[in-house]
Amino acid sequence: LTERIELHEMGVAELGDEYAESYDVVMSVLCFSELNDNELNYALQEAKRILKPGGLLLIADEVKPGHIAKRLFSVLFRIPLLLITYLITQTTTHEISGLPEKITAAGFIMEALRMNRMENFAEIEARKHG
């Protein structure tokens, strides 16, 4: 299988240099939570542009829980992690509100959404219209 698979690692800023409809899969793990809303929307539009028709978008990232109790617990759990992250990297991350809706609004078809028990981490499979 390794002869048939080619992997490319790139940042959001590099997506604009890629040819349209040239990828079968675009995958993002814990990257969107580092983007502001404009950057996230840009990344989704570029992912859609570079995916072939029927191409797959795979995302695993932090999301804001819908239930107030889970949201409160998530905030309390995240505070020490945010402090450590900031001390090490001088940046931080944030939970993404409405990520499935943003993916759908970008023109993708949601195929699967899996959440952890606290509903603060999502795995999403979406597809570009074929």
Side-chain angles (χ1 to χ4, degrees):
L1 242 128
T2 55
E3 300 91 36
R4 296 177 44 206
I5 297 174
E6 188 176 331
L7 301 175
H8 298 266
E9 181 179 348
M10 65 187 75
V12 172
E14 298 165 294
L15 294 175
D17 296 333
E18 298 300 309
Y19 292 111
E21 299 185 346
S22 59
Y23 287 85
D24 295 306
V25 178
V26 171
M27 183 171 65
S28 170
V29 179
L30 292 171
C31 295
F32 283 6
S33 55
E34 296 183 19
L35 305 175
N36 65 39
D37 279 342
N38 290 334
E39 293 166 333
L40 190 141
N41 290 331
Y42 171 80
L44 288 172
Q45 289 303 316
E46 285 299 304
K48 184 179 173 194
R49 183 185 67 77
I50 67 173
L51 276 170
K52 294 177 182 176
L56 192 60
L57 175 67
L58 303 173
I59 298 174
D61 220 319
E62 299 176 80
V63 293
K64 187 173 281 188
H67 191 274
I68 189 72
K70 290 181 179 180
R71 194 176 304 157
L72 178 62
F73 182 78
S74 181
V75 168
L76 293 174
F77 180 75
R78 283 178 50 85
I79 289 173
L81 298 175
L82 291 173
L83 290 172
I84 291 168
T85 300
Y86 185 78
L87 289 173
I88 294 171
T89 66
Q90 299 298 300
T91 62
T92 190
T93 65
H94 64 282
E95 300 166 311
I96 305 167
S97 295
L99 183 56
E101 294 80 6
K102 290 176 182 181
I103 291 169
T104 302
F108 289 94
I109 301 167
M110 292 288 295
E111 292 197 338
L113 170 62
R114 289 178 293 284
M115 306 280 281
N116 65 347
R117 287 188 181 160
M118 286 307 303
E119 297 177 3
N120 63 352
F121 190 84
E123 294 176 355
I124 297 171
E125 294 176 36
R127 193 166 299 275
K128 179 179 176 178
H129 292 281

